[in-house]
Amino acid sequence: MGVIKWLLDAGPTVFLPLLLFIFGIVLRIKLGKAFKSALMIGIGFTGLNLILGLLTDNLGPAAQAMVKNFGLSLDVIDVGWPAASAISYGTTLGSLAIPIGVALNVILLLIGLTKTLDVDLWNYWHIAFSGSLVYAATNNFGLGLFTMIVHAMLVYFLADLSAPTVQKHYGLEGISFPHGISAPGFVLALPINWLLDRIPGIRNIHWTPETIQKKLGIFGDSAVMGLIIGIIIGGLAQYDLTKILNLGITTSAVLILMPRMVAILMEGLSPISEAANAMVQKHFPGRNLYIGMDSALAVGQEAVLSASLILVPFSLLIAVILPGNHVLPFGDLATIPFMIAMMAAVFGGNVFRIVIGGVIDIAVSLYIASWITPLLTSAAKSANFAMDGATSISVLIDGGAWTTLLIVGLGKLMSWSSMAIIFVIVLGLMVWLNKFKKIEKVEQQ
């Protein structure tokens, strides 16, 4: 537990390079090369966090100012993912998420039921979140542990399933995203994309950063678009001129700098990924290995960030007009890029479709987050989370994911039997994807 606490306190910018350095040595990469790779990964991740911090530190207050200026009021506040992760890891059950997730990942890799080596240890808080909610609903510690196992398996499956699409769209060879909130968006985007392909007129709308720039000239340039969107958000927040311009420059900077940070990180990750796949091919011919990373590597794409900035005011509008919704988007407004990062890969970077998919996702998430409110409030009290006078809290991003509704909803309704059903289904899907589908490809060749 002391090691786990140290890892959590150190954060991904420390333990991720350290973990991958050790992994590089195990893969027999030369000491100097492994050290340089790990260092570049640390630098890239630090840069990503700085740029994401720049975005959230500026976009978050602007979104909150919009809430205040428009007089929006609902009875449940969205406290955001930082609070959700603190609540998740703040319980005894949640603190076991990392060792359970790692052990399960190793077992599944050894028996060939996943291709993803998940080094994104910090984001095991997503499975701690579902486990803590089921525990709050049932007061059954063992069921909470089993919930985390089932949720982790589902995340690994979704990471494997989405990896080819993600790698092709983002150019991230050998990478998958076992991210608890981004991966569900991939599945949600599939039927939406199928439907949009069959609507006359709509199916022909294709807005990418490239086509927008071609049509709009200088005003379609990513830097200029970031400036314009930032200025619009600043105006809606009723900032003064100086703050409006500052927000515009900040959003413009994020659009330009984020891809550069991802490039630095990938420079360090590529030698380790190549060595890992070489080792797998040697000992397990025909198998591939994906390095499971944070979907922060994808949120910096121009289409994702542009669509996310557009969705911020849309989220507030949806929350107000949606019948039966109780949650006011607040803390997670700046985290919308993570919600739509893998949706964007399905939509091929089409900004129009990303916004449509994002609107649908946010509407669904608000309903689920409203339903989850009592359980999350109970879990927060169990973790001694400071609620600052609020009587009810929820989270838009994780609290509103369809995986939360599936796992926590059935866990609350049917307890062990429902979780066992989900376990069997997910296990069957993993066998299909990693065993039978592989056989089908060989026969087709």
Side-chain angles (χ1 to χ4, degrees):
M1 293 306 298
V3 173
I4 292 170
K5 186 178 185 303
W6 181 85
L7 289 172
L8 294 177
D9 291 342
T13 54
V14 173
F15 76 70
L16 185 60
L18 178 61
L19 180 66
L20 287 171
F21 172 70
I22 295 171
F23 187 46
I25 297 301
V26 172
L27 294 172
R28 298 183 178 179
I29 298 176
K30 291 183 179 179
L31 184 64
K33 188 176 181 180
F35 177 78
K36 179 66 181 298
S37 293
L39 181 60
M40 294 304 292
I41 290 167
I43 293 170
F45 224 100
T46 299
L48 273 177
N49 285 337
L50 285 172
I51 304 304
L52 284 171
L54 184 67
L55 178 66
T56 54
D57 290 347
N58 287 272
L59 183 60
Q64 293 161 15
M66 280 191 279
V67 172
K68 182 179 179 181
N69 293 333
F70 295 150
L72 304 181
S73 179
L74 291 165
D75 57 346
V76 179
I77 188 70
D78 158 34
V79 294
W81 76 265
S85 63
I87 293 169
S88 302
Y89 278 144
T91 63
T92 303
L93 179 70
S95 65
L96 296 173
I98 290 179
I100 286 174
V102 170
L104 179 64
N105 190 209
V106 171
I107 292 170
L108 293 173
L109 281 167
L110 290 175
I111 62 178
L113 289 185
T114 185
K115 300 181 184 72
T116 294
L117 173 65
D118 189 0
V119 299
D120 184 22
L121 301 187
W122 165 256
N123 277 310
Y124 279 121
W125 77 262
H126 296 282
I127 68 170
F129 181 81
S130 60
S132 297
L133 291 183
V134 168
Y135 179 51
T138 64
N139 201 33
N140 189 320
F141 191 85
L143 183 59
L145 290 175
F146 187 44
T147 298
M148 291 196 294
I149 291 173
V150 172
H151 193 179
M153 289 175 62
L154 178 58
V155 170
Y156 297 144
F157 167 73
L158 294 177
D160 289 344
L161 181 68
S162 60
T165 304
V166 167
Q167 291 174 16
K168 181 180 178 181
H169 178 68
Y170 289 109
L172 301 173
E173 187 177 350
I175 300 299
S176 68
F177 292 144
H179 194 277
I181 188 56
S182 297
F186 175 83
V187 175
L188 186 62
L190 294 174
I192 296 173
N193 198 52
W194 181 89
L195 181 62
L196 293 176
D197 276 341
R198 282 153 181 80
I199 301 177
I202 296 294
R203 64 188 174 201
N204 297 323
I205 300 176
H206 194 73
W207 299 346
T208 65
E210 293 75 21
T211 59
I212 292 172
Q213 183 172 355
K214 185 177 179 180
K215 291 180 179 180
L216 299 181
I218 184 64
F219 294 102
D221 181 82
S222 57
V224 178
M225 281 188 62
L227 175 67
I228 293 171
I229 296 173
I231 288 174
I232 292 172
I233 292 176
L236 292 173
Q238 296 182 15
Y239 280 174
D240 60 36
L241 181 59
T242 302
K243 291 186 72 174
I244 289 175
L245 293 175
N246 273 325
L247 183 59
I249 294 295
T250 298
T251 53
S252 179
V254 169
L255 282 170
I256 295 300
L257 294 176
M258 189 80 80
R260 287 162 170 73
M261 295 303 106
V262 173
I264 292 173
L265 193 149
M266 288 304 300
E267 181 185 337
L269 195 60
S270 292
I272 294 176
S273 178
E274 290 169 4
N277 270 302
M279 183 196 71
V280 170
Q281 288 297 320
K282 179 179 179 181
H283 297 284
F284 305 97
R287 283 180 59 183
N288 292 320
L289 182 70
Y290 306 142
I291 305 297
M293 295 290 291
D294 193 320
S295 55
L297 272 69
V299 303
Q301 193 194 53
E302 296 171 24
V304 175
L305 282 176
S306 299
S308 300
L309 294 170
I310 293 170
L311 285 168
V312 169
F314 269 106
S315 301
L316 298 174
L317 177 63
I318 295 167
V320 173
I321 66 175
L322 204 62
N325 170 54
H326 296 278
V327 177
L328 177 65
F330 192 74
D332 267 336
L333 284 171
T335 320
I336 289 175
F338 288 88
M339 178 185 282
I340 64 173
M342 289 171 68
M343 298 181 82
V346 176
F347 297 136
N350 187 335
V351 177
F352 175 78
R353 293 197 178 193
I354 299 171
V355 171
I356 297 296
V359 167
I360 295 172
D361 196 1
I362 288 165
V364 172
S365 296
L366 285 169
Y367 277 128
I368 300 174
S370 296
W371 170 79
I372 210 75
T373 294
L375 295 179
L376 183 57
T377 302
S378 176
K381 292 177 180 177
S382 298
N384 297 316
F385 178 74
M387 295 177 59
D388 297 326
T391 56
S392 297
I393 61 172
S394 192
V395 184
L396 175 64
I397 299 297
D398 257 77
W402 63 262
T403 48
T404 299
L405 178 63
L406 173 69
I407 294 172
V408 179
L410 289 179
K412 180 182 178 182
L413 181 66
M414 298 170 60
S415 190
W416 282 97
S417 57
S418 63
M419 207 58 63
I421 292 170
I422 301 173
F423 171 80
V424 171
I425 292 172
V426 174
L427 182 62
L429 289 170
M430 297 181 90
V431 171
W432 164 76
L433 183 64
N434 291 284
K435 302 293 185 181
F436 290 101
K437 193 173 182 183
K438 179 181 175 182
I439 293 172
E440 289 174 8
K441 287 182 180 179
V442 173
E443 290 176 348
Q444 289 173 1
Q445 290 174 353

